[in-house]
Amino acid sequence: MIKLIDLPKILDDRGNLSVIEEMTNIPFKIHRVYWIYDVPGGEFRGSHALRETEEFIVAVSGSFDINLHTGKEERKISLNRSYFGLYIPKMTWRMLDNFSTNSLALIVASKGFNEDDYIRDFETFINQAG
Ligand code: TYD
């Protein structure tokens, strides 16, 4: 299930701290971490589904929208705080857009990068999501 997950927020006069721990805050073991940054105004990222990879996305800076399709339902979720994130199960179409200036999307993934895991054609996704 697509799920917004609150992360621990350790407030401190020296600055706040949040954390993602595998199998505690998110329901998978972390294999890979990548981030998307310097997105020009009006651009979008993603626009694919992953066959076997689960991901968790945090807007560690700024904000952006995640447009989701499960094969049955569409949803749009805005991320705009560094203390919660979106869990995206495998076989979920996602497209990220509406990036604010200087936004930073942190993505933790359950598997390593493998182009064979991608479905980049929406019609193929809809057919396979069945
Ligand atoms: P891609 O996932 O297609 O970006 P988007 O999220 O916008 O669809 O990745 C863009 C390029 O970066 C692609 O050529 C593959 C490469 N890449 C890696 O080498 N390792 C990674 O972990 C990721 C996510 C992408």
Side-chain angles (χ1 to χ4, degrees):
M1 285 281 285
I2 294 164
K3 195 164 59 168
L4 269 173
I5 297 177
D6 285 321
L7 298 170
K9 186 181 181 191
I10 297 139
L11 300 175
D12 195 305
D13 291 341
R14 300 168 300 156
N16 301 331
L17 183 154
S18 286
V19 58
I20 304 166
E21 197 164 317
E22 60 185 11
M23 306 308 293
T24 303
N25 313 108
I26 57 170
F28 60 84
K29 286 184 82 72
I30 298 168
H31 187 105
R32 177 169 50 116
V33 179
Y34 62 96
W35 48 100
I36 295 173
Y37 54 99
D38 290 349
V39 179
E43 277 295 351
F44 68 91
R45 298 294 311 234
S47 213
H48 60 248
L50 299 169
R51 295 175 205 276
E52 295 295 339
T53 305
E54 299 164 77
E55 291 193 324
F56 181 70
I57 305 183
V58 181
V60 288
S61 181
S63 62
F64 48 85
D65 295 337
I66 308 183
N67 305 273
L68 300 148
H69 206 302
T70 62
K72 293 196 179 82
E73 291 172 352
E74 267 186 297
R75 266 174 92 174
K76 184 207 285 256
I77 291 176
S78 296
L79 294 185
N80 53 15
R81 293 286 184 272
S82 55
Y83 50 82
F84 63 80
L86 184 69
Y87 169 71
I88 303 182
K90 58 189 177 181
M91 280 304 278
T92 307
W93 189 268
R94 89 291 310 272
M95 191 271 278
L96 283 62
D97 66 2
N98 201 20
F99 287 88
S100 68
T101 305
N102 290 329
S103 57
L104 173 56
L106 181 78
I107 298 123
V108 296
S110 65
K111 287 186 180 290
F113 174 75
N114 175 6
E115 186 60 42
D116 292 343
D117 197 39
Y118 281 69
I119 303 174
R120 294 189 182 274
D121 176 63
F122 187 68
E123 292 307 315
T124 306
F125 165 71
I126 289 294
N127 290 335
Q128 295 195 6

